[in-house]
Amino acid sequence: MKVLFIASALTLVGSCANIRYTQKIENLKESIVFEHPEMIIKYGNTITPEELSAHVYTLSSTDFEGRETGQMGFHRASNFLKDFYVDNDIQSPLGYDNYYQRISKSYFSKDSPSSQNVVAYIEGSEYPEEVIVISAHLDHLGTSNDATYFGADDNASGTAAVMEMAQAFALAKKDGHGPKRSILFLHLTAEEIGLLGSNYYVKHPIYSLENTVANLNIDMIGRVDKIHEEKQQENYVYIIGADRLSTKLHYISEAANSQFTNLILDYKYNAEGDSNRYYYRSDHYNFASRNIPVIFYFNGEHQDYHQPTDTPDKINYPLLQKRAQLIFSTAWYLANSKERLEVDEIK
Ligand SMILES: [Zn+2]
């Protein structure tokens, strides 16, 4: 009798806690409201398959020789980005004409040359000291035995998405709808050789890490992996890390998707203990390890992953557009919300 009583009392306490948790989540969801959705759609639509394609083809051209850290092709690609930002009237946070966060030779292994992260930004109108970092690595594997590793998906796709988002935010600003918080567009070097560009960035941040609200990181978003090909379900993206530090970030991402893009958000690789360990394997992890909430956007691996056959003709540009628009609307929310995104107290 007694045992039964205690057991049912415990069940009652448990279900009360459940109800409280469910209520808390409901309140959290209700607090996420996208103001001026028509603007998010308007400026999001300036991200087009045609422009994305033009950027991906240029970044994956033989001229850039597979964009290997420290090599000529990487420097040419950096210069291409700098010209893009100058042409679009998007400034550098490092000051006039200096779009390179230089990283000296000594930071890399002994014989590799110096390199740089390429940076541009749009200053926030109300909270300029707070920043949203949108990142993608620019480097890839270079050339070997006469083969060029073009890296169209890895990561010209992410780089092109960052460029197009920067342009969209800049157009909005020109029309008087600039973001309230600052947005940093961060093109990282040396990801392929150990996340070194992002590691350098978090040790030498341009904005203090306390004022870094979130990092949205993109690495490969132009293709469809085998799992989704077989399911005939191309309209997806893997979301990794969104709920690890901030429950609210996860729901912002979900709300942005259901309101603007309707992709299938696949959380397969976000499972704790997933053997692929993608959460630890791209640049966002250097931010997450400093307690900055992150989302990692990824299409999964495919047969051309880290092969010379990762070429621009295999990218699905309308899908790349949709994924970029999801990231854009999420960034728009983070940059414009009344309250700054917080890290969960207990996690
Ligand atoms: Zn990559």
Side-chain angles (χ1 to χ4, degrees):
M1 234 358 215
K2 210 179 199 174
V3 173
L4 200 66
F5 172 76
I6 291 169
S8 54
L10 280 176
T11 314
L12 197 66
V13 170
S15 65
C16 280
N18 268 344
I19 291 165
R20 271 202 305 276
Y21 181 74
T22 311
Q23 191 58 49
K24 224 171 113 182
I25 295 297
E26 282 312 309
N27 293 346
L28 189 63
K29 283 189 193 170
E30 264 170 44
S31 74
I32 299 165
V33 177
F34 287 80
E35 282 169 35
H36 300 296
E38 74 288 352
M39 279 187 206
I40 302 176
I41 292 165
K42 178 180 169 186
Y43 295 106
N45 281 338
T46 68
I47 301 170
T48 63
E50 292 74 24
E51 287 180 28
L52 289 164
S53 155
H55 300 324
V56 171
Y57 269 90
T58 304
L59 288 159
S60 330
S61 65
T62 46
D63 258 15
F64 293 163
E65 297 166 347
R67 307 183 304 278
E68 186 176 356
T69 298
Q71 301 302 311
M72 206 29 138
F74 183 87
H75 291 299
R76 285 197 198 109
S78 301
N79 207 45
F80 164 69
L81 290 179
K82 179 189 163 179
D83 286 347
F84 172 83
Y85 287 114
V86 170
D87 287 349
N88 281 279
D89 221 0
I90 300 167
Q91 322 294 314
S92 164
L94 301 174
Y96 175 76
D97 210 29
N98 181 17
Y99 287 78
Y100 293 174
Q101 181 182 42
R102 292 186 196 276
I103 307 174
S104 73
K105 238 179 164 132
S106 60
Y107 201 75
F108 303 107
S109 64
K110 267 183 210 144
D111 35 87
S112 84
S114 65
S115 190
Q116 64 273 333
N117 295 324
V118 182
V119 292
Y121 89 131
I122 292 175
E123 187 169 62
S125 56
E126 281 186 38
Y127 316 104
E129 69 291 350
E130 294 178 8
V131 68
I132 317 301
V133 178
I134 305 180
S135 61
H137 74 86
L138 175 62
D139 68 303
H140 193 53
L141 305 172
T143 57
S144 93
N145 301 328
D146 289 335
T148 302
Y149 289 77
F150 298 101
D153 192 27
D154 187 7
N155 188 23
S157 66
T159 305
V162 174
M163 294 165 72
E164 282 296 288
M165 280 187 264
Q167 195 183 48
F169 277 113
L171 286 170
K173 184 164 181 164
K174 227 176 232 168
D175 296 345
H177 310 301
K180 291 179 184 161
R181 294 185 179 79
S182 298
I183 304 177
L184 178 67
F185 306 99
L186 177 59
H187 299 275
L188 294 155
T189 186
E191 191 270 352
E192 302 282 15
I193 54 172
L195 319 184
L196 296 180
S198 52
N199 189 290
Y200 184 87
Y201 180 85
V202 296
K203 286 182 180 156
H204 305 89
I206 296 172
Y207 288 82
S208 77
L209 295 181
E210 297 90 85
N211 281 333
T212 303
V213 174
N215 169 225
L216 306 181
N217 182 51
I218 312 165
D219 193 355
M220 299 168 59
I221 57 162
R223 295 278 299 264
V224 174
D225 70 355
K226 214 172 180 177
I227 302 172
H228 291 84
E229 227 165 50
E230 277 165 9
K231 282 199 255 184
Q232 293 187 308
Q233 189 188 74
E234 295 195 343
N235 202 35
Y236 78 99
V237 66
Y238 290 110
I239 298 284
I240 300 168
D243 63 351
R244 303 257 180 142
L245 293 171
S246 168
T247 307
K248 188 163 186 176
L249 182 58
H250 167 80
Y251 287 106
I252 290 168
S253 159
E254 291 241 304
N257 182 56
S258 63
Q259 195 158 344
F260 302 105
T261 40
N262 266 312
L263 288 160
I264 293 159
L265 303 186
D266 193 324
Y267 297 105
K268 173 181 160 69
Y269 294 130
N270 189 45
E272 303 263 0
D274 180 75
S275 60
N276 293 287
R277 293 174 58 80
Y278 291 124
Y279 181 61
Y280 306 94
R281 283 176 50 191
S282 187
D283 291 307
H284 55 275
Y285 186 67
N286 278 317
F287 288 89
S289 66
R290 265 77 174 175
N291 217 31
I292 295 162
V294 304
I295 303 179
F296 173 31
Y297 301 90
F298 178 51
N299 54 223
E301 291 180 21
H302 45 72
Q303 63 196 20
D304 301 310
Y305 174 72
H306 282 197
Q307 300 298 324
T309 49
D310 179 4
T311 50
D313 53 297
K314 293 176 184 155
I315 301 289
N316 180 333
Y317 291 99
L319 181 57
L320 173 54
Q321 174 199 35
K322 223 170 194 201
R323 290 165 172 166
Q325 287 170 333
L326 167 65
I327 304 161
F328 176 74
S329 54
T330 306
W332 182 289
Y333 185 93
L334 294 171
N336 287 295
S337 62
K338 280 192 199 82
E339 287 168 13
R340 175 192 163 154
L341 182 77
E342 297 286 355
V343 174
D344 289 349
E345 279 169 33
I346 316 152
K347 193 76 192 185

